[in-house]
């Protein structure tokens, strides 16, 4: 038998100093990012009995329901509004377009969520003609503002990419109108990106705290979400706080891995 | 069988004059080759006629009707870009059916027309293949079938031979002209190679720096090249003959 040289497997190189430095820096950062998750695991382990009991606390189950359902609704709404918005931003040029994109995509990610909650509370809270403060719709609205930009930025980037290929023009030359270009070309070719946008929006909505707390409050089984449970019980009831953190962490990791798996299969 | 008339067409990108008062008439069922060096404005001419680019000045008529105010989707012009522009997520069948479905033709009409087009370009049996599973020559034929399926007034082909390997090029060339001639569609075909142009064109419009400097049949072009530029472009070919 002859040994074959496989293409694609680089020969083992002895590590030079710079390469070593890169690895060490990467290692330090990876450690930093993973240590908190590991610590959560340790902390839960040391009081597992109490945490296990708290997992089935009604407050936890309520937060589970509100967090997960609202994050899904927010993800779905975000995709539904991202598509027309990305379409308009791809095909229309107008003054102030860059500013508008900044206000729609980057700004909401840097605007302090507490401020977002406050604005909604003043605008749509007690004393305003429409008062939806401390309701489930308030949870959706607060989370949507903070997380929808992920869906929009994914969709917009992909629509622009497709526009550059000229496939939209081909569709038009064949007699395609706006709806054909959108439903037969742009959306099918963006399926993976829409899914990616949905999953990041979902994950961001799961983690959102301040805007939701201020605008929607913390009413059990109505508006109270995981991060709020952690915030309000970390002093008074540490096992409950840990149980909420554990569920939130596991849920996010599992959901993100499932999304990635779906995206990977479709590619 | 339609006639295309282009009058005084100009188009600039910033200061760059890509089209400079272009005048052209393509007769019904004619296969006109637009030939010229890279960057002389050939693609710009096609995209302006197609309606993607708005001309700075000039008029375009199909059968005497001004098409300036018509949207791309209303012009009924078949177009195959240089990279063929096949929809990567659709099968050969669905690529060819795209225009018919967009025009809301009935199911049986769509099926009959797709079958006719695929047999016209000789692609029977490849209906279910995705573009990524086709060779360059096959992609070109799908693009052609798709453009012809809408029964266009006019067919625009941008360098149909440039993404075909040398070995199959001769065959593709013959097939292309034959297919187009069989449908009788008026065609504007862009090419940069003088030899291909002389072989395929009923007439050839020679472009340089945004202008059409001569438009004539291959024989006339070889016999009476107008000006130094045309002579230069045809120089090595004239020597061969
Ligand atoms: N979108 C554009 N913006 C600016 N300049 C362009 C653009 N498209 C083409 N050009 C320029 O216009 C000229 C004509 O281009 P084109 O019509 O593509 O030439 P050809 O198809 O004959 O190679 C070239 O000099 C090219 O660089
Ligand atoms: Mg070109």
């Amino acid at each position: 038998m002859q040994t074959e040289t496989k293409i694609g497997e680089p020969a083992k190189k002895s590590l030079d100093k710079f390469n070593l430095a890169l690895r060490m820096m990467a290692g330090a950062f990876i450690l930093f990012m993973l240590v908190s998750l590991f610590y959560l695991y340790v902390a839960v382990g040391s009081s597992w009995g109490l945490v296990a009991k708290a997992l089935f606390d009604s407050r936890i189950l309520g937060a589970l329901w509100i967090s997960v359902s609202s994050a899904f609704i927010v993800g779905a709404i975000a995709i539904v509004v991202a598509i027309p918005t990305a379409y308009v931003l791809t095909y229309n040029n107008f003054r102030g377009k860059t500013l508008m994109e900044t206000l729609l995509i980057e700004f909401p990610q840097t605007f302090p969520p507490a401020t977002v909650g406050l604005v909604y509370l003043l605008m749509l809270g007690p004393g305003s003609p429409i008062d939806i403060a401390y309701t489930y719709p308030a949870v959706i609205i607060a989370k949507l503002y903070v997380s929808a930009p992920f869906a929009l930025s994914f969709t917009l980037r992909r629509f622009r990419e497709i526009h550059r290929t000229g496939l939209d023009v081909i569709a038009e030359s064949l007699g395609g109108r706006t709806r054909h270009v959108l439903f037969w070309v742009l959306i099918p070719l963006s399926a993976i990106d829409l899914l990616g946008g949905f999953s990041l929006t979902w994950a961001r909505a799961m983690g959102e705290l301040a805007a939701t707390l201020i605008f929607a409050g913390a009413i059990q089984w109505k508006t109270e979400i995981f991060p709020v449970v952690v915030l309000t019980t970390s002093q008074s009831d540490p096992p409950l706080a840990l149980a909420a953190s554990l569920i939130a962490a596991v849920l996010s990791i599992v959901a993100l891995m499932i999304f990635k798996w779906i995206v990977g299969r479709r590619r | 069988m339609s006639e295309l008339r282009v009058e005084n067409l100009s188009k600039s990108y910033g200061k760059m004059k890509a089209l400079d008062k272009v005048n052209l008439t393509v007769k019904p069922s004619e296969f006109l080759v637009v030939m010229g060096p890279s960057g002389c404005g050939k693609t710009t001419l096609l995209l302006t006629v197609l309606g993607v680019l708005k001309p700075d000045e000039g008029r375009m008529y199909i059968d005497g009707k001004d098409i300036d105010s018509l949207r791309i989707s209303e012009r009924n012009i078949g177009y195959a870009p240089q990279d063929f522009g096949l929809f990567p997520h659709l099968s050969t069948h669905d690529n060819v059916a795209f225009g018919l479905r967009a025009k809301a033709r009935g199911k049986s009409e769509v099926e009959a027309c797709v079958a006719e087009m695929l047999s016209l370009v000789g692609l029977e049996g490849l209906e279910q293949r995705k573009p990524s599973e086709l060779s360059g020559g096959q992609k070109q034929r799908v693009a052609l079938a798709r453009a012809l399926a809408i029964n266009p007034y006019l067919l625009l082909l941008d360098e149909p031979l440039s993404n075909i390997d040398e070995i199959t090029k001769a065959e593709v060339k013959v097939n292309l002209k034959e297919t187009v001639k069989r449908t009788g569609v008026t065609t504007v075909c862009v090419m940069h190679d003088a030899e291909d142009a002389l072989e395929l064109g009923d007439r050839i419009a020679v472009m340089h720096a945004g202008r059409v400097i001569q438009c004539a049949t291959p024989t006339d072009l070889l016999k009476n090249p107008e000006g130094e530029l045309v002579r230069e472009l045809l120089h090595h070919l004239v020597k061969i003959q």
Side-chain angles (χ1 to χ4, degrees), chain A residues 165 167-177 179-181 184-185 188-189, chain B residues 50 52 71-73 77 81 85-89 98-99 101-103 146 150:
Chain A
T165 66
L167 288 174
D168 48 358
V169 163
I170 306 253
E172 279 182 81
S173 76
L174 294 166
R177 314 299 291 258
R179 64 177 181 280
H180 306 118
V181 173
W184 295 0
V185 179
L189 287 176
Chain B
L50 185 62
V52 180
R71 273 191 280 225
I72 302 173
S73 57
I77 294 177
L86 299 182
F87 301 117
H89 58 301
F98 192 101
R101 287 175 175 159
K103 290 170 191 278
R146 183 179 63 179
I150 60 170

Side-chain angles (χ1 to χ4, degrees), chain A residues 14 49-50 52 62 85 87 97 110 112 155 157 181 184 207-208 216-217 228 256 258:
Chain A
S14 61
L50 289 171
T85 312
Y87 184 89
K97 185 164 147 180
T110 56
T155 312
R157 191 175 45 182
V181 173
W184 295 0
E208 207 291 313
V228 172
L256 290 173
I258 291 175

Side-chain angles (χ1 to χ4, degrees), chain A residues 41-65:
Chain A
Y41 174 75
V42 171
V44 168
S46 64
S47 52
W48 177 241
L50 289 171
V51 171
K53 232 169 58 203
L55 283 179
F56 299 99
D57 190 289
S58 157
R59 200 169 166 195
I60 291 284
L61 295 177
L64 176 68
W65 168 241

Side-chain angles (χ1 to χ4, degrees), chain B residues 43 82 158-159:
Chain B
T43 298
Q82 203 167 350
D158 199 346
E159 311 233 2

